Amino acid sequence: MNNEAGVYPLVARDEACTAITAAVAAAREGQGSTLLITGEAGMGKTAVVTRALARSDLLPLTAPAYEGHAFPYGPLIEVLRAYGRQRPNHPSTEAPLTRALALLVPDRSITLLDTSSAAPLEALRQALVALARRQPVAIFLDDIQWADHATLELLPALSSSLACESLLIICAFRSDEIARDHPL
């Protein structure tokens, strides 16, 4: 243990670390998956995921949800923006990213996006496929219990459509902060 460097041991987190390590290896081989990590506030979910992803060779894209600030597809839009900040424009990713962001963050003069259509799923799917084909990617959506319903409804379909890509989606949420009727 090297507390001077800010490195602390993760106690009793072997099962979660093993699951993340296996999912990282599968994503590297083109077998995408989605992991849900749950527990009470403060138990170390974020630390476990962050440490596991730091040890991997996947490109980590992190987007938290914020209590009281849910807007349609907010965490997923932030993932695309995070990629844009980390990677310079590249022909294989620029067009899909631009299309997805234009669809998900429409001009204020245009009618709001119909979240019931298949367009958001297809735009995000194409953008994430482009990213994953350029480099294996890990998306970490933290505090997803606060995400908007559009994101929560889209995640299962998005996850299954990316099963054959080098993409890992990890969602962490607080089990003590969700009601029984919550989508999670």
Side-chain angles (χ1 to χ4, degrees):
M1 178 165 74
N2 182 355
N3 291 344
E4 292 174 17
V7 178
Y8 298 90
L10 298 173
V11 178
R13 301 291 185 262
D14 294 340
E15 186 177 342
C17 290
T18 300
I20 295 169
T21 300
V24 164
R28 194 178 309 112
E29 297 299 319
Q31 299 171 6
S33 63
T34 300
L35 297 178
L36 297 177
I37 299 184
T38 186
E40 295 177 1
M43 72 174 290
K45 299 175 295 298
T46 302
V48 167
V49 174
T50 301
R51 180 153 323 157
L53 293 181
R55 293 178 178 166
S56 81
D57 59 348
L58 274 61
L59 173 66
L61 300 174
T62 300
Y66 297 102
E67 186 173 20
H69 296 285
F71 55 94
Y73 309 110
L76 298 170
I77 291 167
E78 184 53 36
V79 163
L80 298 179
R81 287 179 174 160
Y83 181 84
R85 286 189 300 270
Q86 290 183 28
R87 298 288 186 242
N89 291 338
H90 189 274
S92 67
T93 58
E94 187 173 1
L97 281 173
T98 301
R99 277 193 305 272
L101 284 169
L103 178 64
L104 297 174
V105 188
D107 185 307
R108 294 191 188 278
S109 64
I110 299 172
T111 310
L112 285 177
L113 175 67
D114 175 10
T115 58
S116 65
S117 76
L121 171 62
E122 186 55 21
L124 278 166
R125 190 194 67 74
Q126 287 178 8
L128 294 176
V129 164
L131 304 185
R133 289 187 179 169
R134 183 150 185 247
Q135 176 183 353
V137 175
I139 294 172
F140 177 35
L141 303 176
D142 200 7
D143 287 325
I144 199 78
Q145 75 276 0
W146 293 324
D148 60 285
H149 285 284
T151 296
L152 296 174
E153 290 172 2
L154 185 67
L155 279 172
L158 185 62
S159 298
S160 63
S161 72
L162 297 169
C164 295
E165 300 298 334
S166 295
L167 182 75
L168 171 60
I169 300 172
I170 302 175
C171 301
F173 65 95
R174 297 178 183 182
S175 57
D176 56 335
E177 292 195 21
I178 59 172
R180 292 194 107 164
D181 63 343
H182 193 279
L184 288 171

